[in-house]
Amino acid sequence: MSVDETTTPSFDELPLRQELLAELASLGYEEPTPIQCEAIPHLVEGRDVLGQAATGTGKTAAFALPLLQRLAPGDRGRQPSALVLVPTRELAMQVSQAIHRYGRTLGARVLPIYGGQPIGRQLKELGRGVDVVVATPGRALDHLGRGTLVLDDVEVVVLDEADEMLDMGFQEDLEAILEEAPATRQTVLFSATMPRHIEKLARAHLTDPVRISIGREAAVPGSAEGPRIRQTAYVVARPHKPAALGRILDVEAPGSTIVFCGTRNEVDELTETMNGRGYRAEALHGGMSQEQRDRVMDRLRNETADLLVATDVAARGLDIEHLTHVVNYDVPSAPEAYTHRIGRVGRAGREGVAITLVEPRQHRLLKAIERHTGQKMEVARIPTVADLRARRFELTRAALREELLGDDLEQFRVVVDTLSDEFDLVEVALAAVKLAHDAIGGDVEEEEELPQMSLAPDDRDRGGRAGRTGGRRPPRGQAGGDTARVFIGLGRGAGIRPKDLVGAIANEAGVRGRDIGAIQITQNFSLVEVPAGQVDQVVAALRDTTVKGRRATVRRDRHEG
Ligand code: AMP
């Protein structure tokens, strides 16, 4: 085994409290991501930070850990000491869950407040006292107006996904909220892109910020001459990842494969899932003893295991021969980690395969990787049930062919002979094939169709967005792109407002807020215009989720025009 030269500091080397380190360990995080390495020391020191980082880089923990670090021990006041502003209600819930989780041992009181939830419950929680409020700008302003949210004790304000907030027309709300927070506060701004209006916002509200940018590295020199690796990405929503990976591997039929996961817990869960699917999968992570790890490596080497499911840390320095496939179950948080991972295949002149599962909102990470490798990744369709059936028939046919070429079939002749009195020989063969097919696990009865998603379009950087402070943009249709309408069986009667729909579509289907066109809300249903190319993924995603806590009939609107 050779040890790699990569030197990432461990969490222990970051200036974080013991309680936080313990939570990170229990979550199975093995090492900080680049944005965490860079931002956390400055934030703990109290500096303002202007960070360019996309979803999937670990930015939430990068700002959450330092603000939790500040929480005083013992009894704390009723007013929040930190305010995190996010564009949508889904993100508010997600970020607040993350902060709650990281701050569990510290007893952090974290409250999400967003439009669409009854204000009464939020009032009660605010009255009880909170440490961290995670809010959408509109609702935060609402509470400030009522005097139910007081920012006098706020030490840190975080603007998360600031470009998205400005795109949704929250500029004035943000300005008004920042006015209310003490001038001595620390301000942190994260944005996936840094257009001029974000720079302007930062200049106005951040003090001498440290600038951090992730994913802007120069391309790897000479990567085009590097090993031959077929790189394919599949767009999958998080909940479908285990099923999608199973499906992809069934069709790919890889040899020895290593699957990289982000955390120890993910490694354990996925190993179990893949074993359930008939793979001989072994887990490898930093929480295992050397002896356990050696045993796993032996099984892989002597081919009694076909999948190694590992974290980056555990796989570091392993030199495994004969790997055919590398799978990124998560898009690595930095492009360097990607090249490092896939560099394990395509050795000695053999072609290697790198498979990456990417969530719709992670398109920027994927772009950063492509810039880094100088190669485009092919985005492939997740195999359908029909693809899988075809593949399994192929396997059954191959297995039967093998038997036919063998020479110990004679003993079964008596069975065929007796049956042939009653049935046609082809029918007998069909029944035997069915038995064989089912016996080798060829049945696809239990398989469900997985929604085909596409990457959120990356047209944000193309400019032409000056001075918008409120209201919706003209629908894309008017700007020339094809649109289609989605019918959602919830309307005013269910308390649906345009931003509920924008939030749900943007978050669940990965469609940019600005790509959502005209919204029509009637008493009983709503119609939303979305880019035609994304209509199927919007329908699939909305069927899978709730809007304002309710499930709705969702379909492509048939009466378009
Ligand atoms: P974010 O970019 O904040 O949306 O985070 C993306 C995902 O990475 C989340 O699911 C986090 O739980 C996870 N994550 C964040 N930091 C780490 C880390 N150091 N190691 C492993 N997973 C992480």
Side-chain angles (χ1 to χ4, degrees), residues 11 29-33 36 54-61 94 102 238 262-263:
F11 274 115
Y29 290 10
E30 294 208 315
E31 62 177 0
T33 67
Q36 292 162 4
T55 301
T57 51
K59 66 184 166 65
T60 312
Q94 203 177 307
Y102 301 141
R238 181 160 277 276
T263 66

Side-chain angles (χ1 to χ4, degrees), residues 11 24 27-36 53-63 65 91 94-95 98 102 160-161 238 261-264 266 311-312 330-331 333 359 361-362 365:
F11 274 115
L24 294 172
L27 276 167
Y29 290 10
E30 294 208 315
E31 62 177 0
T33 67
I35 189 89
Q36 292 162 4
T55 301
T57 51
K59 66 184 166 65
T60 312
F63 65 72
L65 296 167
L91 203 59
Q94 203 177 307
V95 167
Y102 301 141
D160 188 22
E161 306 213 349
R238 181 160 277 276
C261 294
T263 66
R264 291 177 190 184
E266 211 165 55
T311 56
D312 286 291
D330 279 312
V331 185
S333 57
E359 292 168 47
R361 281 165 57 85
Q362 293 178 329
L365 273 186

